[in-house]
Amino acid sequence: MSFRKVVRQSKFRHVFGQPVKNDQCYDDIRVSRVTWDSTFCAVNPKFMAVIVEASGGGAFLVLPLHKTGRIDKSYPTVCGHTGPVLDIDWCPHNDNVIASGSEDCTVMVWQIPDNGLTLPLTEPVVVLEGHSKRVGIITWHPTARNVLLSAGCDNVVIIWNVGTAEELYRLDDLHPDLIYNVSWNRDGSLFCSACKDKTVRIIDPRRGLVVAEKERAHEGARPMRAIFLADGKIFTTGFSRMSERQLALWGPDNLEEPITQQELDSSNGALLPFYDPDTNVVYVCGKGDSSIRYFEITEEPPYIHFLNTFTSKEPQRGMGWMPKRGLDVNKCEIARFYKLHERKCEPIIMTVPRKSDLFQDDLYPDTAGPEAAIEAEDWVAGNTAGPVLISLREAYVPTKQRDLKVNKKNVLHESRPASRPCSAARLSAPPALTTSMPTATGQGSGRLEEVLQELKNLRVVVAEQGERIAKLEQQLSSMENGDV
């Protein structure tokens, strides 16, 4: 007789979030109040950038990750824009390069010094001018060097070669209304977009064509988002006709009907999805919410499996997301968020609890590294390449240096032969009883007591070994079931 498993087996079932201590937060940051559904924060393994309030233009703050605590009001900013900054994004192939889009209709690319800013940065490396209205979306190509996508409120998508400051592709007739977000696929051959006309589109930028589209992906009028998953599926967040927040999963070959659609709640903040292609986990953060929900995407129904919710007291104004190569693998950290409050930034660490101190291969498969797979010219020529993967094992440092400890205490009787190895002595058979009668009664009874005592000690040792074997078998069974 077979019993259906009540709890679905998953190594991410016990993922939990934990905010860092107050002294590891970034305090006294005046987060921007501009009304735009951007994350307002961008993070990489070296720096954390936050869009901040600025008088007479737009600015964002760039801090080395280690510079925690209270940030002085006079700390230098990146302040070359003449209008408020709406979106920022770090280059995936150079941790010192960041791009910004602004209400002044320009895109600027900046080079940040290794140790951070000591003076206000007003001169960008390159200024990209091509939009007629404010630029609200900035995203780098995942595999091609120096390729940047920008989308503005003029409903135009432009793809730039930052290395030459030239416009590669201009897609100005594919979106009839405001573009909410844009997401590249894994190899950068396509991108998907969510638009105010409630349509999700899959676009080939090099051919300038809409490969597939789904009208009224979500019935509600509030903003929605669409992101590509590693296997080509599309994950969307939006609102129903009754203003309930929804999640949906779509197959790229058939956008007519969703693979699955789920309703979350009736809050009114836009849902920002963050996706980890290595673990297939999607984290959903609502603007104005005080929680982060996370889901595992699988091939079995219901396809979007709810894992858990991280809840805090303060609502989030924005959210930063650390790339996988910036995480602490020694702590089994699988995600790190940088939650923006009104006046501070608070890192939140997502951890899978494990008892073992070893490197966890199942949590850290090879991930996208900082090397570009192809050059911009190769991508324009029609070549496509997936990300160059790296192993995170090199980042692993054993946390406990175990010293060798030798216990010289012998549980057996001292009459044991000294030349016999210790391990053999602990499990050695007792001396055989001879059938010949001893010459003296005292010697015979003394020898018998000695053998009985050694046999008693041996039984204690065997019992201890049996208990250890049982505990090890129990631990092995737990690890195989993913419950460690």
Side-chain angles (χ1 to χ4, degrees), residues 89-108:
D89 193 29
W90 287 103
C91 176
H93 308 127
N94 188 333
D95 287 342
N96 294 70
V97 172
I98 187 169
S100 58
S102 167
E103 281 193 9
D104 63 11
C105 308
T106 65
V107 176
M108 295 185 179

Side-chain angles (χ1 to χ4, degrees), residues 11 29 67 85 135 163 202 285 304 417-418 433 453 459:
K11 54 178 167 274
I29 297 174
K67 187 171 177 55
V85 177
V135 182
I202 300 177
C285 316
I304 302 176
L433 296 175
Q453 181 63 38
R459 284 173 177 161

Side-chain angles (χ1 to χ4, degrees), residues 229-448:
L229 304 186
D231 58 0
K233 294 187 180 72
I234 294 176
F235 180 88
T236 62
T237 64
F239 292 82
S240 69
R241 189 177 299 170
M242 304 299 293
S243 292
E244 293 174 312
R245 297 200 289 192
Q246 294 178 324
L247 309 175
L249 190 64
W250 309 82
D253 301 325
N254 180 18
L255 292 180
E256 290 303 313
E257 290 295 327
I259 298 173
T260 183
Q261 192 171 62
Q262 299 179 11
E263 293 184 349
L264 282 185
D265 53 32
S266 18
S267 297
N268 56 10
L271 290 170
L272 308 177
F274 296 89
Y275 173 62
D276 180 4
D278 302 326
T279 58
N280 240 17
V281 175
V282 174
Y283 303 83
V284 178
C285 316
K287 264 208 158 179
D289 289 4
S290 55
S291 63
I292 303 173
R293 296 180 178 91
Y294 28 109
F295 304 82
E296 186 176 4
I297 310 296
T298 66
E299 297 296 329
E300 309 90 36
Y303 305 104
I304 302 176
H305 297 271
F306 173 74
L307 291 174
N308 211 335
T309 303
F310 167 79
T311 306
S312 58
K313 295 179 181 179
E314 297 293 326
Q316 53 227 15
R317 299 277 301 277
M319 194 71 73
W321 162 263
M322 174 66 78
K324 203 68 173 287
R325 58 191 175 90
L327 302 180
D328 188 348
V329 298
N330 295 285
K331 297 179 181 177
C332 295
E333 181 183 2
I334 64 166
R336 190 190 308 161
F337 291 94
Y338 286 75
K339 174 182 173 180
L340 298 186
H341 299 247
E342 191 173 350
R343 299 283 294 186
K344 76 172 182 177
C345 176
E346 176 186 39
I348 297 168
I349 295 172
M350 299 287 178
T351 308
V352 177
R354 291 284 170 95
K355 292 181 180 178
S356 173
D357 294 326
L358 302 177
F359 178 76
Q360 305 296 319
D361 296 272
D362 58 330
L363 297 183
Y364 302 106
D366 289 354
T367 190
E371 282 299 317
I374 55 175
E375 298 297 326
E377 295 76 16
D378 298 329
W379 183 75
V380 172
N383 297 326
T384 299
V388 178
L389 302 181
I390 60 170
S391 171
L392 296 179
R393 184 178 288 274
E394 286 73 21
Y396 169 73
V397 178
T399 54
K400 295 179 181 178
Q401 299 295 330
R402 296 182 178 85
D403 295 328
L404 177 63
K405 293 182 179 179
V406 180
N407 184 5
K408 295 185 178 181
K409 181 181 178 181
N410 179 25
V411 297
L412 301 183
H413 198 269
E414 292 178 359
S415 65
R416 175 182 57 81
S419 61
R420 191 176 297 173
C422 179
S423 59
R426 288 177 67 89
L427 297 177
S428 61
L433 296 175
T434 57
T435 55
S436 58
M437 292 298 294
T439 56
T441 307
Q443 287 181 353
S445 61
R447 177 63 179 155
L448 180 61

